[in-house]
Amino acid sequence: MMEWIAALFLVTGGVLAVIAAVGLHRFADVFARMHAATKPATLGLVMMLTGVILLLPGPGPIAKLMLVILLQFITAPVGAHLVGRATFRAGTELAPDTIFDDSSKTILDE
């Protein structure tokens, strides 16, 4: 039974990783791509590692994978924030279909 639950976690994580890859390819600007690179990819990695944790014996490897999950949750949002901030400060234009700029809290002309 545990193998089936682990397989479900692994498949779900793989699907989320594919969704992240499609988002990176399809989204129009760096800000949307940044979102696609961090949200589903991070959750996908956590799902996959959870599936692996369910199959591992002993506390040693499980502790290492838990540390990987923790570091992923710490570093991915910080990295995405820094990339977005640097991109915004560099004056990168938003996608043409963007209607609201969260950084300046203004509604853009259509």
Side-chain angles (χ1 to χ4, degrees):
M1 181 66 179
M2 192 62 71
E3 290 84 14
W4 286 98
I5 296 171
L8 181 66
F9 274 106
L10 290 170
V11 169
T12 305
V15 168
L16 286 169
V18 168
I19 289 171
V22 169
L24 282 173
H25 178 69
R26 302 250 351 225
F27 285 150
D29 62 357
V30 69
F31 302 107
R33 288 182 182 149
M34 176 182 61
H35 177 77
T38 56
K39 302 279 183 177
T42 300
L43 184 58
L45 178 68
V46 169
M47 297 290 282
M48 286 184 166
L49 292 178
T50 303
V52 172
I53 285 172
L54 292 174
L55 297 175
L56 287 176
I62 292 173
K64 289 177 187 176
L65 290 179
M66 294 296 285
L67 180 62
V68 170
I69 291 172
L70 177 69
L71 291 174
Q72 179 69 19
F73 271 118
I74 292 171
T75 58
V78 173
H81 175 76
L82 291 175
V83 168
R85 186 175 174 186
T87 303
F88 183 78
R89 285 186 174 182
T92 303
E93 291 186 25
L94 298 172
D97 55 347
T98 302
I99 57 171
F100 186 76
D101 183 4
D102 284 323
S103 299
S104 62
K105 303 290 188 239
T106 57
I107 297 175
L108 304 174
D109 294 332
E110 293 185 20

